[in-house]
Amino acid sequence: MTQYDVIIVGGGAAGFFAAINIAEQNPNLRVAILERGKEGLQKVKVSGGGRCNVTHAEFIPSELVQNYPRGEKELLGPFHQFMTGDTIEWFEKRGVELKIEDDGRMFPVSNSSQTIIDCFLNEAEKHRVEVLYNHSVKTINNKDESWIIETNQGYFTSEKLLITTGSNPKIWNLLEDLYHTVSQPVPSLFTFNINDKRIKTIPGVVAQNVTVKVVGTHLESEGPLLITHVGMSAPAILKLSAFGAIALAKRDYNFLIEVNFIKQSFNDCLEGLKLFKQDLNKKTIFKFSPFDLPKRLWQQLVLASNISETITWSDLNKQQLEALALQLTKAVFKVDGKSTFKEEFVTAGGINLKEINFKTFESKHHKNLYFAGEVLNIDAVTGGFNFQNAWTGAYLAAKAISE
């Protein structure tokens, strides 16, 4: 049986980040990472399209937490201890400079996730963290104030144990045996599959500022909307998928959404269309959108309002005006299924947050058992927020462990 002072189960972002901080803060501790795969940091490798979206340029804790459908309340305190600015400083001290893009996402200046991976691997080696690959955990037990971990390659023991395995049902099952409660996982970041003739021929079109509601619920979001080959994506949709993860799973991903493409009320839109009817008079409706909408989207909404390509504004009747106002402000689409958003595999689910001390990320059920990252029932919208949760939890757990 191999003995360590600290064992970290999970060789992902949170695991490496924690291990490096533990070894740096207390060089006397012998630290090991148990990684089930032949190499670690695979989620880091594919994140952000291979560029690694390290964090997001939001520097106010109360604003940052609003991007977490699950974990908003619990992360407020931790973010006052370690958040975006600390993450930037941490990487810069180790030679990795980050840049801010127009939408607030932050990436390494190199535009390569390998930069982050190399940083972790170099720092782990520098601080003598032992990374044991191909070690799949079979059992976790607590005996005589020590943790005993059985893997496919033998037994390990340590005084302190940190779990950073992300959304791993096998590990969740082991933790349930240790009397922790697990919320079962459902997808949290996905695009909507929609088969509708209004959008079928215009993939790639982006409506910059829309409001989307899930009919029959209080779920609502706003932002850019991208029409894809299979339906809809972009922030307006992804926010709904994250905040509505549980509700939409219960509907088996079959539901209706209502899209307001111009963020006006139906009545205001109708009055505006009546003015256009007067002012634009003999102009052909199909050729020009008086709203800030992509031309191809406008044309599909016009056709869906039973307005032909040759009709002029002056030819519009009352029914056509009302139909166009409906398409612009209350367009209903049927969602029939979901698709994974790029390489992002984010789930809602994990260890019940009431069972965690968020000052240290230690279990309330077991002394010297800690958690960080998506193994907890915490998830976020896209944009670097899930990584920021991993860095914060790993740092605070490492601080408590190394003391």
Side-chain angles (χ1 to χ4, degrees):
M1 187 178 294
T2 308
Q3 185 168 356
Y4 292 92
D5 297 304
V6 182
I7 287 178
I8 298 172
V9 176
F16 270 87
F17 197 79
I20 293 163
N21 280 288
I22 293 166
E24 193 173 64
Q25 292 173 34
N26 192 337
N28 295 320
L29 294 177
R30 190 180 178 202
V31 182
I33 295 174
L34 299 181
E35 163 59 42
R36 64 176 174 169
K38 62 181 180 180
E39 54 184 326
L41 301 166
Q42 290 306 291
K43 192 166 184 180
V44 172
K45 190 172 187 176
V46 300
S47 83
R51 296 196 296 148
C52 189
N53 187 180
V54 175
T55 187
H56 198 95
E58 174 54 71
F59 299 94
I60 302 171
S62 60
E63 296 290 329
L64 183 60
V65 295
Q66 292 178 25
N67 295 284
Y68 296 83
R70 282 146 292 275
E72 176 181 352
K73 181 180 69 174
E74 291 81 5
L75 287 174
L76 184 59
F79 281 158
H80 276 93
Q81 302 301 315
F82 190 95
M83 61 171 292
T84 311
D86 303 295
T87 299
I88 296 168
E89 182 182 9
W90 193 94
F91 281 103
E92 285 186 346
K93 278 184 177 179
R94 291 155 181 83
V96 178
E97 188 178 352
L98 304 180
K99 62 176 180 177
I100 304 172
E101 301 205 336
D102 291 341
D103 59 4
R105 293 181 302 164
M106 297 193 70
F107 295 89
V109 170
S110 67
N111 273 330
S112 173
S113 57
Q114 193 62 44
T115 301
I116 304 300
I117 293 171
D118 290 344
C119 172
F120 283 155
L121 293 177
N122 291 337
E123 289 293 313
E125 183 178 6
K126 174 183 173 182
H127 294 289
R128 293 180 295 184
V129 173
E130 296 184 45
V131 186
L132 307 177
Y133 297 106
N134 296 310
H135 278 66
S136 179
V137 172
K138 292 184 174 182
T139 63
I140 299 173
N141 291 292
N142 184 252
K143 184 178 181 181
D144 299 329
E145 297 187 354
S146 289
W147 291 100
I148 300 170
I149 300 96
E150 179 191 2
T151 76
N152 61 327
Q153 298 199 39
Y155 287 84
F156 298 83
T157 181
S158 68
E159 180 188 349
K160 298 181 180 181
L161 177 62
L162 171 61
I163 309 291
T164 62
T165 48
S167 304
N168 186 330
K170 180 181 175 182
I171 297 298
W172 280 332
N173 289 338
L174 296 180
L175 294 172
E176 284 183 314
D177 292 339
L178 294 170
Y179 308 109
H180 270 290
T181 309
V182 175
S183 299
Q184 291 308 305
V186 295
S188 172
L189 203 60
F190 51 87
T191 61
F192 293 174
N193 294 350
I194 299 171
N195 184 9
D196 191 293
K197 64 181 180 180
R198 287 170 291 180
I199 62 173
K200 197 165 189 176
T201 61
I202 56 172
V205 167
V206 177
Q208 288 295 343
N209 195 11
V210 309
T211 300
V212 186
K213 299 178 181 178
V214 176
V215 176
T217 75
H218 297 296
L219 293 168
E220 179 177 331
S221 71
E222 38 184 66
L225 182 148
L226 168 68
I227 293 168
T228 71
H229 286 89
V230 294
M232 294 181 179
S233 184
I237 298 299
L238 296 171
K239 286 180 195 173
L240 271 188
S241 76
F243 282 89
I246 296 171
L248 301 182
K250 289 179 179 177
R251 287 168 170 74
D252 198 25
Y253 308 105
N254 287 278
F255 52 92
L256 300 177
I257 58 171
E258 181 183 286
V259 182
N260 187 329
F261 287 104
I262 59 174
K263 295 185 75 172
Q264 291 184 17
S265 70
F266 170 81
N267 290 333
D268 287 346
C269 176
L270 186 59
E271 291 305 310
L273 291 175
K274 289 176 181 177
L275 291 176
F276 293 140
K277 178 177 165 68
Q278 294 175 11
D279 297 343
L280 299 177
N281 205 333
K282 296 299 180 182
K283 289 185 181 292
T284 304
I285 298 168
F286 189 77
K287 291 182 179 179
F288 169 73
S289 167
F291 300 98
D292 187 19
L293 283 178
K295 183 178 180 181
R296 290 196 294 157
L297 174 59
W298 165 258
Q299 290 174 343
Q300 291 302 315
L301 297 180
V302 168
L303 293 175
S305 306
N306 205 23
I307 301 170
S308 73
E309 296 182 23
T310 58
I311 287 182
T312 63
W313 281 94
S314 61
D315 292 331
L316 279 181
N317 60 38
K318 179 183 177 184
Q319 288 75 24
Q320 289 171 321
L321 280 170
E322 290 179 348
L324 184 54
L326 273 175
Q327 290 295 330
L328 289 165
T329 63
K330 295 185 176 184
V332 175
F333 295 87
K334 184 178 186 301
V335 177
D336 185 17
K338 60 175 176 56
S339 295
T340 302
F341 174 63
K342 296 183 179 179
E343 293 87 6
E344 301 282 355
F345 302 104
V346 178
T347 60
I351 300 297
N352 189 320
L353 303 186
K354 293 180 180 179
E355 300 171 1
I356 306 299
N357 175 355
F358 278 92
K359 291 181 179 178
T360 60
F361 283 75
E362 186 176 18
S363 165
K364 290 181 179 178
H365 294 337
H366 298 279
K367 184 177 173 59
N368 293 326
L369 174 61
Y370 300 81
F371 302 98
E374 289 178 47
V375 69
L376 297 168
N377 189 18
I378 295 176
D379 61 283
V381 300
T382 185
F385 301 105
N386 282 298
F387 271 138
Q388 185 55 55
N389 164 48
W391 312 139
T392 296
Y395 181 85
L396 292 180
K399 183 180 178 184
I401 289 169
S402 59
E403 288 176 348

